[in-house]
Amino acid sequence: MIFSRFFAPSHTSQNPEKRLEAIQNLSPEKPTDKTILHELAFNDANADVSLAALNKLNTFVLWLKMSQSAHHAKVKKVAERTVEAALMGQGDVTINANEKASFLRESANGELIQTVLVNDPTLLADNNLVMTLLHKVDKPAFTQTIFLHHADNALQQAILATIEDSSVLQKLEKKCRDSAIHAAIATKLQVLKAQAEKPIELMRRVTLCLSKYQALVDKSDVEDIDKRQAELLSEYNDLMADSSILSSDDKTAVDAKFARISEKVSRHLSRIRPEWESQKAAEEKAEIEALCKQHLSHATTQVNWLYGERLCEATLADVAVVNESVRALEVSADHMASLGGSTKLLDEVRTGIASLNNSLEAFSMQQQYGQKLLICLSQVESLAEESLAEEAKQQQATSTPSEPATNGQEDKEKGLTEQTAEAAKAVNTDATESISVEGEAVQNGTDQNDDVSHKAPESIEAEFKALSEKYHDLRNELISVPSTLNKRWHAASRVFSQKKQAKKAEVDQALRQCRKQISVIDNLIAQGKYRGAITKFEKLSASFESMPENVKKQLAKRFEKTAEDIAHLEGWQDYIAAPRKPALVEEAQTLASTPVEDIKQRGEAIRYLRQQWLSLGAGSDDDALQNAFDAALELAFQPCREHYAALDAEREKALKARQSLIEQVAAIDLSQDEAVLAKLYDRTVKQWHECGQVEKREYESLKQRWNKTISPLQTKVNQWHAMNKKAKQQLVAQASALLAEEDIASATETAQQLQHSWKAIGHAGKRDESRLWREFRLANDALFGRLKEQRKAQSSAFDETFNTLFTLLNGIDSESDESTIATSIQDIEARAKALPGAMRAKLDKKITGIQKQQQTRAQQRQVRKVQQRAQSAISVLSESLRAGDFTNISDDDADMLKKRWKSALSKPTPVQQSRHWLTVALEAATDLPSPESDSSMRTNVQLAMMTAKLEKGESLSPAQLLEDWIAHGKVDDQETHLLERVVNVLDNNPEVVA
């Protein structure tokens, strides 16, 4: 104890060398020594002493703590390397899996985590740990590396669940080779796309809803606005239930727009509601006025029905029904009065009500008059039947076989008989259809008919006159006579009026015929046709003697004058004919010597001369004149005979042509294709019609043969035409039905198929082909017109979308980050899929240009970054090599250097070549000039490098040469110019150290 006061322990010595020697004698197994080692490791001012103590303790925890808290840069650097080596499983410091995981999870920095995780496959087995470390590193590129090159399926699924960036997923999808993971990525992309589109779709639907809401301010029907407002508010609330997916700006904008539109609609309703309510009141008034008019019309119709159809047999129930319609009219009138309806209409309705009530009050008395009128009508009908029976008996008694009637008389009597029978049928029919109330009257009429049987016509006419007066007196008492009674009265009275008309017509007909015959005879005399006039007068005389005396009296004067003219003509006939016949002979000879210009006219002239000759009669000395006249007419007719002979030859030729055509048709093979047969049929029918004329009697037989021969061919062609007609009618119907289709593009494709089908179908016949084609073409024109309009509208929409997307592309900020630009381009590409190819190509070209610009800027940024890093690294290397102290490099400077240069600086190694030689080699490898004084060395260097490449296949890169150059250690004053030359090489080739 006493000596301990005088002799201090060596580990407390001021000399670092003694403390280092003391550490060699301390054992970490002893608690006291362990405490001393801890003290030296963490508190000793000398870096070597601290490192020696740490090496003696050699535990991961202490190395880790020192790497985090060491004040001396060298200690800290060595501790970090030791921790890193332990984590990599290198060195003599051991660490178990839990400690490694805990360290990585809690203390390790991102760069260390990346290094350890990539080089230690055992860590990848713990998915939770890996996911925690990836989250801590938070570098998408590193996550992609783990996903693509180090993770199993389970880990890939876990990583995939955390990725929400579509651009990252698309990159993984392109590089992933596992089908299951590839499918999972595709599914995740679809989900993200759907999630991205969901807010857009929601905004679109909300915008549409608000647009409909906004449109309410243009409507004027308050009731419709209230209804639509309720529907739109419900729709809006349902849509906004998912408003959480919207951005705050969008939600705020939607809420503001909704509030603004709601206020507009409220103001609009408050402005138009008073006018609408007054309009509704006016409409209600108009409705009640229209109802009043309807009730008035119905009540009037009912009362008219009661009088017109149920006058004689109406029951209390019928009257009650009519009365109820009048009461309904009164209620409507009161309602209209309460609403302040039209005064004029109200007065009209009330006047109508009063008139209808008066009609109902008078109905009982009117019904009694109607029943009396029915009885009188039944008596008239019975009297008409009696009259018809008497007329039939008289006709049967007066017609005898010895006195047949002339054709005209038979027709007249037949007509009268038919008229009488028709009248009798009408009387019987109306009498049969009479209603039950007149049963007693009919019975009375029948009894009276029995009483008046076999009455004289004069008695029947007198009785009819009396009944007619009675009928008219009763009818005048009625407000309205039923139409059925009027019809029955007209049918019964027609019997008597027709008899009177028939008698008058008979007299008039005889008078007209006689006058006509006298006029004809007078005309014949005036024309010089005396022979015909004399003949007709003989027939007229016989007819005139058989006429009634009253007719003779009317025609006596004209008949006597005509008789005198005829008597005078019979004496002068021979005198007139003597000079006339030679003149006719001369006219016939002149006609014969005249050239023929018109065959028909020549024939008519010959016929006229013959008629003139015959009208002069035959004389005693007419034989020579007759022969001369006949010879002249024969000579004049000779050209006509030749013309008719030529016509006969043409008819014979036409006959043979038609017979040949019939034979050709009979030889046609009906088994040929229908289209061929149709052409043959059309051609042969045309040839038949183009054949000349034949004699009528021969044409009839030829026509029958032709019809019989052509019939099978015609039937087959007609069947084919009918089949084609039906098929084309179906095509027309289908084409017309396409007009109702909403999908115009699909409908037009179908229409084109129908057009091809139309071409494949044969002819439908002359009568139907043009009509069907016109209908089919009209349907197609209308359909393709709609398509043209739709495409025009669609083109406008495409143009608008294209312009919008192009504007968005122009608005992309090229300075934005890659993910933002990629998202914008992806959204534009998705919206451009619906555009036509030409528009998409323009957008793709624009997108390609933007992407190229982005790549160019990224490359430029990378080059600048490399240059900046290279300059920093060159500066650090230069300063470190000048100072010769490689342990005092700051953390920031160390980060500028790659691990390769850090290792080269921290662990100098012997190098075979000199620093001067390496400097020249660097200049030669980078094609930079060397000083004139080193030209010989440069030649040797280049020769050596070429030899190594040819013999050993080795090629020294600038980086390898630089690494060897640095390995020489500190640059002394004599080598400063070499360092400057190396810095010049690195300045011109920054990629060597970047």
Side-chain angles (χ1 to χ4, degrees):
M1 291 298 293
I2 296 174
F3 287 103
S4 64
R5 298 177 184 174
F6 297 101
F7 300 100
S10 58
H11 66 272
T12 62
S13 173
Q14 296 296 325
N15 189 351
E17 297 295 334
K18 290 185 178 182
R19 293 198 300 273
L20 288 173
E21 292 177 0
I23 290 172
Q24 298 297 326
N25 299 321
L26 296 176
S27 173
E29 303 298 332
K30 298 178 181 180
T32 304
D33 292 352
K34 187 174 183 181
T35 302
I36 294 171
L37 290 173
H38 272 277
E39 181 67 22
L40 293 174
F42 288 96
N43 296 321
D44 197 281
N46 188 277
D48 293 334
V49 174
S50 295
L51 290 174
L54 287 172
N55 282 322
K56 195 71 173 181
L57 293 169
N58 203 26
T59 60
F60 178 79
V61 176
L62 296 178
W63 283 110
L64 175 61
K65 186 175 181 181
M66 185 59 70
S67 68
Q68 296 171 347
S69 60
H71 299 291
H72 199 284
K74 182 177 180 180
V75 175
K76 184 176 178 121
K77 194 169 187 178
V78 173
E80 287 176 351
R81 286 203 299 269
T82 304
V83 169
E84 182 178 347
L87 291 173
M88 300 294 294
Q90 302 172 358
D92 53 357
V93 178
T94 59
I95 181 174
N96 57 42
N98 292 333
E99 290 178 339
K100 182 185 293 187
S102 177
F103 167 72
L104 293 175
R105 188 183 292 110
E106 297 172 1
S107 304
N109 57 35
E111 186 176 354
L112 182 58
I113 291 174
Q114 294 179 51
T115 304
V116 174
L117 198 57
V118 169
N119 291 280
D120 191 352
T122 59
L123 295 175
L124 298 174
D126 188 349
N127 291 347
N128 293 331
L129 175 62
V130 174
M131 295 305 300
T132 301
L133 297 180
L134 291 176
H135 177 71
K136 185 176 180 181
V137 173
D138 193 21
K139 289 186 177 180
F142 178 67
T143 303
Q144 293 180 39
T145 302
I146 296 296
F147 182 90
L148 295 172
H149 304 294
H150 302 284
D152 56 12
N153 283 352
L155 182 56
Q156 286 180 329
Q157 292 285 1
I159 295 174
L160 191 60
T162 63
I163 300 176
E164 300 296 332
D165 190 339
S166 298
S167 60
V168 174
L169 288 173
Q170 289 174 348
K171 293 178 181 178
L172 294 179
E173 185 181 24
K174 294 178 181 178
K175 297 179 180 179
C176 181
R177 297 294 179 265
D178 186 272
S179 58
I181 299 301
H182 192 278
I185 295 173
T187 303
K188 185 67 177 286
L189 283 172
Q190 292 177 356
V191 171
L192 292 177
K193 182 179 179 181
Q195 290 176 352
E197 293 176 352
K198 194 172 182 181
I200 299 174
E201 177 65 17
L202 179 59
M203 281 296 294
R204 186 189 67 79
R205 295 177 61 186
V206 169
T207 302
L208 178 61
C209 178
L210 292 178
S211 299
K212 294 178 181 178
Y213 195 16
Q214 173 76 30
L216 295 182
V217 299
D218 297 327
K219 297 185 179 296
S220 57
D221 189 346
V222 174
E223 185 177 1
D224 183 49
I225 292 176
D226 289 338
K227 179 182 176 182
R228 290 178 178 269
Q229 184 180 25
E231 294 175 353
L232 292 172
L233 287 177
S234 176
E235 181 182 355
Y236 176 78
N237 291 330
D238 292 341
L239 292 173
M240 292 306 290
D242 297 331
S243 61
S244 58
I245 66 175
L246 298 177
S247 65
S248 59
D249 293 341
D250 288 343
K251 189 174 184 306
T252 302
V254 168
D255 291 339
K257 187 175 182 181
F258 173 74
R260 185 172 61 256
I261 294 174
S262 297
E263 184 180 357
K264 285 184 180 179
V265 173
S266 299
R267 288 201 305 270
H268 179 65
L269 282 173
S270 62
R271 184 175 63 255
I272 67 173
R273 190 179 294 277
E275 181 181 355
W276 178 81
E277 290 176 348
S278 63
Q279 183 180 356
K280 292 295 288 185
E283 290 177 359
E284 184 178 2
K285 188 185 298 183
E287 288 178 1
I288 192 61
E289 289 177 354
L291 183 61
C292 263
K293 291 179 182 179
Q294 182 180 355
H295 283 175
L296 177 60
S297 175
H298 177 68
T300 304
T301 302
Q302 289 290 90
V303 172
N304 292 338
W305 168 79
L306 190 64
Y307 272 87
E309 298 183 19
R310 305 287 294 172
L311 178 64
C312 299
E313 66 274 13
T315 62
L316 291 176
D318 295 333
V319 177
V321 170
V322 177
N323 187 61
E324 189 67 27
S325 65
V326 177
R327 301 290 80 79
L329 175 60
E330 291 176 346
V331 173
S332 298
D334 293 339
H335 189 193
M336 183 174 67
S338 66
L339 293 177
S342 172
T343 305
K344 181 179 178 180
L345 178 60
L346 189 60
D347 294 340
E348 181 183 345
V349 171
R350 285 174 175 169
T351 302
I353 292 173
S355 175
L356 294 174
N357 285 330
N358 292 336
S359 297
L360 289 177
E361 291 174 359
F363 182 73
S364 178
M365 182 61 69
Q366 290 289 307
Q367 190 174 39
Q368 295 178 19
Y369 283 122
Q371 291 173 352
K372 291 179 181 180
L373 185 69
L374 183 60
I375 293 172
C376 180
L377 179 60
S378 300
Q379 293 173 352
V380 172
E381 290 173 343
S382 299
L383 190 62
E385 291 179 3
E386 178 67 20
S387 177
L388 292 173
E390 284 296 326
E391 184 179 357
K393 289 179 181 180
Q394 289 179 3
Q395 290 179 356
Q396 185 175 3
T398 56
S399 61
T400 59
S402 59
E403 297 179 359
T406 62
N407 293 337
Q409 291 174 340
E410 288 177 356
D411 294 340
K412 178 170 44 177
E413 291 175 358
K414 182 178 180 182
L416 294 175
T417 303
E418 290 175 353
Q419 292 177 354
T420 305
E422 182 182 355
K425 182 178 179 182
V427 170
N428 291 332
T429 302
D430 291 339
T432 302
E433 294 176 352
S434 60
I435 46 185
S436 59
V437 176
E438 61 177 313
E440 183 179 354
V442 173
Q443 183 62 38
N444 293 335
T446 304
D447 295 341
Q448 292 175 6
N449 187 41
D450 293 338
D451 293 340
V452 299
S453 299
H454 310 295
K455 290 181 180 179
E458 294 78 7
S459 176
I460 292 176
E461 290 180 2
E463 189 172 351
F464 170 72
K465 184 175 180 182
L467 288 173
S468 177
E469 293 177 355
K470 181 180 179 182
Y471 179 85
H472 285 88
D473 291 341
L474 290 171
R475 190 176 66 178
N476 291 334
E477 295 294 334
L478 292 175
I479 297 175
S480 175
V481 180
S483 59
T484 55
L485 297 184
N486 277 331
K487 290 180 180 178
R488 290 174 61 184
W489 164 255
H490 291 312
S493 62
R494 194 183 304 120
V495 174
F496 299 98
S497 62
Q498 286 178 352
K499 286 182 64 177
K500 185 176 179 180
Q501 292 173 0
K503 288 181 180 180
K504 186 176 183 303
E506 183 178 357
V507 174
D508 292 342
Q509 178 68 15
L511 187 61
R512 283 194 300 271
Q513 287 293 333
C514 190
R515 285 174 176 167
K516 182 178 180 181
Q517 290 297 324
I518 293 173
S519 297
V520 170
I521 293 170
D522 291 343
N523 289 333
L524 290 174
I525 293 172
Q527 296 174 4
K529 300 178 181 179
Y530 306 130
R531 187 175 181 180
I534 293 171
T535 303
K536 284 188 176 293
F537 183 77
E538 291 174 357
K539 294 180 181 179
L540 176 62
S541 299
S543 300
F544 184 78
E545 292 301 328
S546 63
M547 288 182 182
E549 289 299 327
N550 57 347
V551 177
K552 288 182 179 181
K553 290 179 182 180
Q554 297 182 36
L555 297 174
K557 188 174 181 180
R558 287 193 63 187
F559 182 79
E560 290 174 359
K561 182 180 181 302
T562 304
E564 291 177 1
D565 293 340
I566 293 298
H568 186 262
L569 285 175
E570 288 176 349
W572 284 88
Q573 184 175 7
D574 292 339
Y575 177 78
I576 295 172
R580 179 66 178 150
K581 286 187 177 181
L584 291 176
V585 171
E586 186 178 353
E587 290 182 17
Q589 291 173 349
T590 302
L591 180 65
S593 62
T594 303
V596 179
E597 295 180 357
D598 188 344
I599 294 297
K600 183 178 180 181
Q601 187 176 2
R602 173 61 66 90
E604 290 177 352
I606 293 172
R607 190 180 300 109
Y608 173 75
L609 291 175
R610 178 67 68 183
Q611 290 176 352
Q612 291 292 315
W613 184 273
L614 292 175
S615 68
L616 297 177
S620 57
D621 55 349
D622 287 347
D623 291 341
L625 291 174
Q626 182 71 46
N627 292 334
F629 183 75
D630 292 340
L633 287 186
E634 177 63 27
L635 184 61
F637 187 71
Q638 184 62 32
C640 297
R641 182 174 284 108
E642 294 174 355
H643 173 73
Y644 295 142
L647 291 179
D648 290 340
E650 292 179 1
R651 291 191 183 96
E652 183 64 24
K653 181 179 178 182
L655 176 63
K656 292 181 180 179
R658 291 181 184 271
Q659 290 173 342
S660 174
L661 193 59
I662 291 173
E663 293 174 357
Q664 293 176 16
V665 172
I668 292 176
D669 183 8
L670 298 180
S671 62
Q672 299 180 76
D673 184 75
E674 286 84 351
V676 176
L677 293 177
K679 292 180 180 179
L680 289 174
Y681 173 76
D682 293 337
R683 185 168 66 248
T684 53
V685 169
K686 182 179 179 182
Q687 292 174 354
W688 175 267
H689 290 302
E690 290 176 350
C691 289
Q693 295 182 351
V694 297
E695 292 293 340
K696 184 176 181 181
R697 61 180 181 276
E698 294 176 347
Y699 179 75
E700 294 299 329
S701 61
L702 280 174
K703 182 66 175 177
Q704 292 178 1
R705 285 181 58 196
W706 168 257
N707 290 337
K708 184 177 180 181
T709 305
I710 200 69
S711 179
L713 176 60
Q714 183 180 9
T715 301
K716 191 162 186 179
V717 171
N718 288 342
Q719 291 175 351
W720 184 62
H721 284 165
M723 180 181 67
N724 295 337
K725 176 184 176 182
K726 184 177 180 181
K728 290 189 174 181
Q729 285 175 337
Q730 293 176 352
L731 292 181
V732 171
Q734 293 175 12
S736 301
L738 292 176
L739 294 174
E741 295 289 335
E742 294 183 0
D743 188 354
I744 302 300
S746 176
T748 51
E749 291 180 1
T750 305
Q752 291 176 346
Q753 296 175 0
L754 294 180
Q755 291 173 3
H756 292 305
S757 301
W758 180 280
K759 293 179 181 179
I761 299 173
H763 203 269
K766 294 181 179 179
R767 290 189 301 177
D768 298 307
E769 179 67 23
S770 297
R771 176 182 59 82
L772 291 173
W773 169 245
R774 184 167 56 255
E775 295 174 359
F776 184 71
R777 187 182 62 189
L778 288 175
N780 278 272
D781 290 346
L783 181 63
F784 282 94
R786 287 181 58 196
L787 177 63
K788 185 177 180 180
E789 293 177 359
Q790 186 189 60
R791 285 180 175 174
K792 185 177 180 181
Q794 192 178 40
S795 177
S796 299
F798 285 156
D799 290 340
E800 183 178 356
T801 303
F802 173 78
N803 293 332
T804 301
L805 296 181
F806 206 84
T807 303
L808 292 176
L809 285 175
N810 289 331
I812 291 178
D813 186 4
S814 58
E815 299 299 329
S816 301
D817 59 277
E818 294 183 2
S819 60
T820 302
I821 295 177
T823 302
S824 300
I825 291 177
Q826 183 180 3
D827 179 59
I828 292 172
E829 287 177 339
R831 294 172 62 184
K833 289 181 179 179
L835 295 177
M839 292 183 176
R840 288 202 308 271
K842 292 181 180 179
L843 291 175
D844 291 342
K845 184 177 180 180
K846 181 68 175 178
I847 290 172
T848 302
I850 292 174
Q851 291 175 340
K852 286 182 178 179
Q853 291 178 0
Q854 184 184 3
Q855 292 174 359
T856 301
R857 289 189 178 90
Q859 291 173 356
Q860 292 174 351
R861 287 195 299 270
Q862 183 63 27
V863 169
R864 288 195 297 270
K865 184 177 179 181
V866 168
Q867 290 176 345
Q868 291 174 358
R869 187 180 183 90
Q871 292 298 327
S872 299
I874 292 169
S875 177
V876 172
L877 287 174
S878 177
E879 293 176 359
S880 300
L881 290 171
R882 290 178 186 274
D885 185 2
F886 308 121
T887 60
N888 294 325
I889 301 175
S890 66
D891 294 340
D892 293 337
D893 292 341
D895 291 338
M896 291 294 178
L897 298 175
K898 288 185 177 180
K899 185 178 180 181
R900 181 175 191 175
W901 313 125
K902 293 179 184 178
S903 178
L905 287 171
S906 60
K907 298 178 181 179
T909 57
V911 180
Q912 181 179 359
Q913 301 295 341
S914 67
R915 183 166 272 170
H916 189 184
W917 189 93
L918 292 172
T919 302
V920 175
L922 273 171
E923 292 172 340
T926 56
D927 293 329
L928 289 177
S930 300
E932 287 292 336
S933 58
D934 291 338
S935 59
S936 176
M937 180 178 287
R938 179 164 181 143
T939 302
N940 295 332
V941 167
Q942 290 176 337
L943 181 60
M945 293 173 67
M946 186 179 299
T947 302
K949 184 174 182 180
L950 293 175
E951 295 179 355
K952 302 179 181 180
E954 296 178 356
S955 179
L956 295 176
S957 65
Q960 291 174 334
L961 295 172
L962 177 62
E963 186 176 4
D964 290 345
W965 199 95
I966 295 172
H968 279 283
K970 180 180 179 180
V971 177
D972 53 26
D973 294 337
Q974 291 77 15
E975 294 175 333
T976 302
H977 69 284
L978 297 178
L979 178 59
E980 293 175 354
R981 289 166 64 180
V982 169
V983 169
N984 181 53
V985 171
L986 297 180
D987 286 339
N988 287 279
N989 300 275
E991 67 276 4
V992 175
V993 295

